[in-house]
Structure formats: structure tokens, C-alpha cells
Amino acid sequence: MKIRAACGAAVLSALLAGADRKPTADEARTFINDAERKLLALGVDAQRADWIKSTYITDDTEAVAARLDERAIAATVDYAKQSTRFDGLTLDPVTARKMKLLKLSLTLATPSDPKESEELTRIAASLEGTYGKGKYCPRGPESCLDLEALSKILAESRDPKQLLDAWTGWHLISRPMRPDFARYVELSNQGAQQLGFADTGAMWRSKYDMPPDAFARELDRLWEQVRPLYLSLHAYVRSRLREKYGNLVPARGPIPADLLGNMWAQDWDNIYPLVAPANADPGYDLTALLKQRRADWKQMVKYGENFFVSLGFPLLPQTFWERSLFLKPRDRDVVCHASAWDVDNVDDLRLKMCIEITGEDFLVVHHELGHNFYQRAYNELPPLFRDSANDGFHEAIGDTIALSVTPQYLVKIGLLDKAPDPSKDIGLLLHRALEKIAFLPFGLMIDEWRWKVFSGEIPPEKYNETWWQLREKYQGVAPPAGAPRSEKDFDPGAKYHVAANVPYMRYFLADILQFQFHRALAQAAGCTGPLNRCSIYGNKAAGSRLNAMLQMGQSRPWQDALEQIAGTRQMDATAIRDYFAPLQKWLDEQNQGKPVGW
Ligand code: X8Z
Ligand code: ZN
């Protein structure tokens, strides 16, 4: 028996499995349980270092995090390669599923060459760091604006010059990422190929318990289901923006990306006041309510926690309050992009967010806590099952809860004195559509772009051009007229998930799934009214239905989890369409005689 030296994992499994005879099912079980244990420990070390790096970006913390990430990834790659020894064996279902998940667990696979492996994790850490440190300094080092400040301009200013400046300024931060990004594509593809995938995109697509081409067809089908709604919203918003900004907004063409209230034009709720229906404005504004009540960051998080507790979930652990990062520190760079952590994969739950007192952040807090409550619900499963049914599920839970943030709910928790009457529903629905419907094509196009980048269909010299082609095709959005783009720019890198190697199709799926979950839970709670008026707040029946699904983690294919909560095995956009049906009708009336599409 030949034993490779210097790699503990390889030695162990070679001993266990034997190299020159057919391994047994018992050996497979021992192998996978051992892999789980080792990878859990390495993963926790890497997460700790990542936490420190993300809450204190320096060259040192970046280097340490990269090193520990590399160790954890390399061990996973190694185990995944070894596990192929057991291919073809008849295994019990739990071991078989674990074997499958082991091979699919990475979003970044490092090449086997140690130098290249190190280079890749270093580049990955530095791309995220560059994003986290990103600033626009229009008049020298004393004038720097970070993403939070620039986003505030995008959200609140109605001065086209100022909007253009903030937009252009932020998009400068990613220019230097381009060569590193191209190298990251090359190296991560090598890693994925060594694991048997065509490229990194193919590796990402293989996580969905479906043949990859069937998954691609599902995405097309879902998009076709919701596209008419998006087209109606786009046409309506474009015509209202044209009233405001005149010829800056074309009558029939794509909308300039800096006029939609968000740095990436991914959700448009910040321009609600510009497009609000004259006679149906709901008459309250969550940001104003929170400010009136003098809510602070703790209160914001407490509102979210309290919602989950009302469903029957236990309070967050004390350590959550001690170890999280809730506010942007004044003295150092951090990755402000919100995220939820489970550092020990048991109950070291944390939130990392630079909370501001706005309605938008109120919803983001709910989004993040959805991750934390999911993480805790599956924490007793074997380590390889401690994840969501698919990644869209993880992204959908907190948003599902936030769909229950209705006026009646705000009255119940004392934030609002009196709920507006149902005649104001169109305003509320329009506000929600600016969040949820506007997001759909964005959610879809990011990885349409990245998958093509990974497959080589989009070469580095076309990164920016193809980015904007897809932005136009799916979103009907164009670069601002005053900011012509070229291949000097690298606009994809100005979006966190591209810089930080986070797959994005999950958010498109979550946008669809959360309405399916909301409809099912509203039903469990006995709500028979229109879906936008249902809140599951305080309803234990809905809570236990949700919890039963969360507790499954990824122990079963996602179709089983969906069936558990929603009684169907198919992702389906009828729930989101039902939810917005009254708005679709209203939009189509407003759009009479106006151009639709671009
Ligand atoms: O990244 C997030 C969360 C953390 S998982 C704040 N979201 C996407 C984004 O900001 O682009 C939530 C919605 C889409
Ligand atoms: Zn999330």
C-alpha cells in the first residue's frame, strides 16, 4: 500500500480505504464522518480569521484569513478527490448524500499546486478587501466618501449632477480589480476542473439537486413567469422619471442606472416618492417612523428578534449581542456589506452590519436574522447537512418574515398609530414592487454574466461591454449618459458579490421562493385576505411549519424541504404574481398608450 506523505488527511483515508482493493460501505461511512469532523474544525478556524479580517481590514488580517481559508479549502478539495474511491458503492442514504455534498460544498476550489492555491486565496481576500476599503475622494484625501455615504446620495438626491458624480465615483473603485479578477477566474477554474467540473460556474450550478440543464430551464421558466410584471413596472417608472428628469430619461430606451435610487439599480424603493400614486400614498414612511421613535441599532435588531420569538423561536444567545458588529467603526475599514455568521457552526451567531436607522436597514436586519435563525435550527444535524435546502432558501427566510411587516403589524408593535385603509394598498404594493420586482432581472443577470466569464464565453477584454449588454437585456438599464463606459472600467467589481466571490443566483431564487413561503405560512396562520395584508406575526402554527423546514437543513434535496413548507416540489412564481396581481392591473391602466419595453 502506497501512502502519500505530508498530508494527514490523505494518509488517514488511504489507510482506511485501502488502495488496492474495493472499499466497503463501512469504510465509506468512517471516511465521511472523519472528513466532516476535520473540515468542521478547519472551517471554524477559517471563519474566525475571516471575521477578524472583515471587521478590521489590514494587510495582516487579510493574509492570515487567506492562509486559513486556503487550509480549509485545500483539505476539502483533498477529501472530495479521495471520496471518488467510493463512487459506485451502494451506500446508505445518509452517507450517500454526505458524499455528494462534500463534492459540492465549495464556492471556490483551489488548484492542487500549492503556489497557485496560495495565490488564489490571496487574490480572493484582496478583492474583497479592495471593495471593503473602497472610497471616492473627489477633492483629495480629506474629501473621501465611502459606499454608505455615496449610497445615501443615490437614495436621496434628485440632482442629476450629484447622482452622476456619486455613481461614477463609486465605480472607480473596481478599476484596479480587473487583472486580479481575470487571474482569479483562471485559477478557480483550474481548481473546479480538478474536481471534475467544467469550470467554476458549472460547479456553482451543480448544487441544485437537478441536472444543470434542467436548472437552467427552470430559471428561464421562472423569469418568463415574472417578466410581464417587470415590464409593466419598468414602463411606469420610466415615464414618471421622465416627468421628473426630462430628456435624461429616454421615452422608449433603457433607464440611466444612476436615477433609480440605488448604486446598482437593483432595487428602486428609494425613489418611491418620485413615483408614488397621487391618491394612494400609504401615508407613512418606515424611516420616518423609526426616527420619530428614536430607534437605535439595538432596537432595530430587537424588532427582528422579537418577530422570530413571536413564532416560537428561542431568543438569540447572549454572545450574539457581545460579538456582533452592529455599527460602522470610525477608526478602521470594515466590510460593511451585511452578513450573518455562525462562527462555530453551533450557536456562535453573529451579525455584521453597519446599521443605519432606515426602513431599508430595518428589512436588511430581518433578512440577516433569517440566516441566523436558520443556522441555529439545523445546528444539531451532522456538519455536512448544516446548510439550507439550497442557497436560495437561506436568502429567503428573513425576507419571508419581512413580508409580514404590514401596517397592521407596525401598529401591533407600536411603531404606527393607525393602519391606512385598504384603498391605500396600491401605494404599499408599489413600494414592495420597487424592492422585489425591480430586483428580479438583476438577481438573474449577475450570474448569467459570471457563468459566461467562467466558461470563457466572455473574455477579459469584454468584461465591461458584456456586463452592460446584460444589464440592458434583462433590466432595461443603461450607464448614465454622462459616464460612457470602456474596458478601462470594471463595473462588475463595484458589486460586492462579484468582488467577494459570492454566487448570486440564490437571490433571484429567494425573490421567488419568499412569496411561496409567505403564501404557505399565511395559509397555515389562517389568513384568508389578500396576501399583502397577511402577517404571520405571533402565529405559532406558521412558526412550527417554518421551523420544521429549517430543521431539515440540507439533509434532503431541496424539493423535499419545499414540499414540507409549501406542499409543492416546484419553485413557482404564481405566489409572487398573486401577491402583485392588483398592482399589475393598476400599472397596466397607468401604462395605457405609453411605450413598454426598451
Ligand atoms: O447581499 C445581500 C444580503 C446579505 S446575504 C444583505 N443581499 C443581496 C444584495 O445586497 O445584493 C440581499 C438582497 C440581495
Ligand atoms: Zn443574505
Side-chain angles (χ1 to χ4, degrees):
M1 186 159 59
K2 230 170 124 195
I3 296 174
R4 262 200 301 143
C7 174
V11 172
L12 183 66
S13 91
L15 281 169
L16 287 170
D20 46 7
R21 64 179 171 78
K22 198 170 176 311
T24 67
D26 265 354
E27 285 165 348
R29 229 183 342 265
T30 312
F31 165 83
I32 199 76
N33 293 340
D34 177 65
E36 277 188 308
R37 210 163 25 80
K38 289 256 171 50
L39 295 178
L40 179 64
L42 290 172
V44 172
D45 286 349
Q47 291 223 73
R48 276 190 212 294
D50 274 349
W51 174 268
I52 297 168
K53 176 201 76 174
S54 302
T55 56
Y56 194 170
I57 309 174
T58 69
D59 291 347
D60 292 329
T61 58
E62 228 171 76
V64 173
R67 182 166 288 258
L68 289 176
D69 272 347
E70 191 205 343
R71 232 177 54 182
I73 295 172
T76 310
V77 168
D78 197 41
Y79 274 119
K81 285 179 187 163
Q82 291 177 59
S83 72
T84 55
R85 282 184 56 71
F86 304 103
D87 288 355
L89 265 188
T90 308
L91 301 171
D92 65 90
V94 169
T95 306
R97 181 143 182 95
K98 285 182 181 175
M99 288 285 185
K100 180 177 159 158
L101 293 174
L102 172 66
K103 296 183 188 110
L104 301 177
S105 61
L106 292 169
T107 49
L108 186 70
T110 48
S112 51
D113 178 280
K115 267 181 71 185
E116 289 179 336
S117 167
E118 199 235 288
E119 184 185 357
L120 176 58
T121 47
R122 204 172 33 73
I123 289 177
S126 130
L127 284 170
E128 189 183 355
T130 303
Y131 184 96
K133 289 183 284 199
K135 283 176 197 63
Y136 168 49
C137 309
R139 287 170 301 280
E142 298 305 310
S143 67
C144 295
L145 299 166
D146 58 20
L147 177 59
E148 288 65 45
L150 295 166
S151 292
K152 199 167 150 62
I153 297 173
L154 262 290
E156 291 174 5
S157 170
R158 306 294 179 235
D159 171 358
K161 263 214 195 107
Q162 227 181 5
L163 291 169
L164 175 64
D165 185 54
W167 189 95
T168 315
W170 178 251
H171 285 79
L172 287 173
I173 66 121
S174 47
R175 281 186 171 193
M177 291 179 191
R178 180 186 272 268
D180 273 353
F181 186 84
R183 182 71 177 143
Y184 139 91
V185 169
E186 205 171 272
L187 291 172
S188 78
N189 274 344
Q190 271 182 36
Q193 280 152 9
Q194 288 166 10
L195 279 177
F197 300 99
D199 57 61
T200 300
M203 185 170 90
W204 290 1
R205 290 192 297 279
S206 66
K207 288 177 202 288
Y208 291 98
D209 293 307
M210 286 179 123
D213 52 334
F215 179 59
R217 276 199 304 278
E218 276 299 273
L219 295 175
D220 288 345
R221 183 178 64 76
L222 293 169
W223 173 232
E224 285 310 316
Q225 276 186 298
V226 292
R227 207 166 69 97
L229 195 47
Y230 181 73
L231 286 177
S232 303
L233 181 70
H234 180 280
Y236 172 74
V237 166
R238 180 176 55 192
S239 82
R240 296 298 304 264
L241 286 180
R242 204 168 142 77
E243 286 166 21
K244 170 81 188 165
Y245 293 113
N247 280 339
L248 271 182
V249 180
R252 296 167 186 280
I255 304 174
D258 57 337
L259 302 182
L260 287 158
N262 172 277
M263 187 58 81
W264 308 275
Q266 69 180 61
D267 43 47
W268 307 344
D269 38 315
N270 288 320
I271 57 155
Y272 177 76
L274 291 184
V275 301
N279 51 358
D281 193 304
Y284 75 87
D285 159 7
L286 195 43
T287 303
L289 290 180
L290 290 164
K291 291 201 164 137
Q292 268 163 30
R293 306 281 147 150
R294 299 191 192 288
D296 59 5
W297 63 265
K298 188 154 191 185
Q299 190 64 50
M300 299 264 283
V301 182
K302 278 280 170 195
Y303 280 128
E305 180 192 43
N306 177 50
F307 199 120
F308 283 91
V309 170
S310 87
L311 298 176
F313 291 87
L315 285 167
L316 291 162
Q318 185 53 32
T319 51
F320 171 88
W321 300 100
E322 292 159 4
R323 297 175 187 170
S324 291
L325 180 130
F326 298 107
L327 291 174
K328 186 179 171 78
R330 281 187 232 179
D331 59 343
R332 61 183 200 266
D333 286 319
V334 304
V335 178
C336 268
H337 190 89
S339 53
W341 299 57
D342 181 7
V343 174
D344 66 354
N345 281 31
V346 184
D347 56 8
D348 191 350
L349 306 174
R350 303 183 197 180
L351 171 63
K352 180 181 67 58
M353 185 170 169
C354 302
I355 298 179
E356 299 190 27
I357 311 305
T358 63
E360 194 175 338
D361 272 6
F362 188 78
L363 300 180
V364 176
V365 165
H366 286 72
H367 174 96
E368 297 306 332
L369 292 190
H371 288 306
N372 285 137
F373 280 91
Y374 208 158
Q375 287 157 346
R376 192 168 51 184
Y378 56 58
N379 71 359
E380 286 178 13
L381 295 175
L384 275 166
F385 293 161
R386 289 183 209 166
D387 204 340
S388 53
N390 72 38
D391 54 5
F393 281 58
H394 230 311
E395 298 304 336
I397 301 309
D399 285 13
T400 302
I401 299 305
L403 288 177
S404 280
V405 177
T406 58
Q408 292 76 9
Y409 164 73
L410 294 175
V411 171
K412 264 193 198 161
I413 61 167
L415 266 177
L416 182 65
D417 293 331
K418 188 170 166 294
D421 69 86
S423 70
K424 309 290 189 194
D425 274 14
I426 285 298
L428 287 166
L429 279 171
L430 180 60
H431 195 283
R432 274 254 147 85
L434 294 169
E435 270 173 63
K436 305 291 180 185
I437 302 300
F439 181 78
L440 288 160
F442 184 78
L444 197 64
M445 64 77 51
I446 300 264
D447 279 352
E448 291 280 335
W449 181 81
R450 257 189 309 193
W451 293 348
K452 289 192 170 134
V453 166
F454 285 126
S455 77
E457 193 181 327
I458 297 179
E461 61 275 14
K462 291 222 154 85
Y463 278 167
N464 225 53
E465 180 191 334
T466 50
W467 173 259
W468 284 105
Q469 280 164 358
L470 290 172
R471 296 268 270 164
E472 176 165 341
K473 174 178 168 194
Y474 285 105
Q475 289 186 280
V477 159
R485 313 315 285 161
S486 78
E487 294 301 327
K488 277 211 193 88
D489 300 299
F490 181 56
D491 295 325
K495 176 68 196 160
Y496 171 73
H497 304 70
V498 175
N501 186 53
V502 181
Y504 210 81
M505 200 55 83
R506 54 183 65 176
Y507 300 106
F508 173 75
L509 299 177
D511 208 353
I512 308 267
L513 283 168
Q514 61 190 260
F515 287 89
Q516 269 183 286
F517 297 168
H518 178 66
R519 184 167 64 181
L521 295 177
Q523 218 168 31
C527 182
T528 51
L531 279 178
N532 61 306
R533 302 206 130 237
C534 290
S535 175
I536 62 165
Y537 179 65
N539 191 287
K540 300 285 188 296
S544 66
R545 194 177 183 111
L546 175 62
N547 189 40
M549 194 270 279
L550 301 187
Q551 283 186 332
M552 291 168 74
Q554 67 174 343
S555 62
R556 315 267 319 139
W558 63 261
Q559 291 88 342
D560 291 9
L562 186 56
E563 189 163 24
Q564 205 295 316
I565 188 169
T568 167
R569 302 181 64 78
Q570 220 188 18
M571 291 188 273
D572 170 31
T574 58
I576 190 169
R577 284 203 346 203
D578 281 1
Y579 187 101
F580 288 108
L583 180 74
Q584 168 95 61
K585 187 165 161 283
W586 183 87
L587 286 172
D588 291 344
E589 284 160 19
Q590 311 303 307
N591 288 339
Q592 287 276 329
K594 293 193 181 122
V596 174
W598 50 88

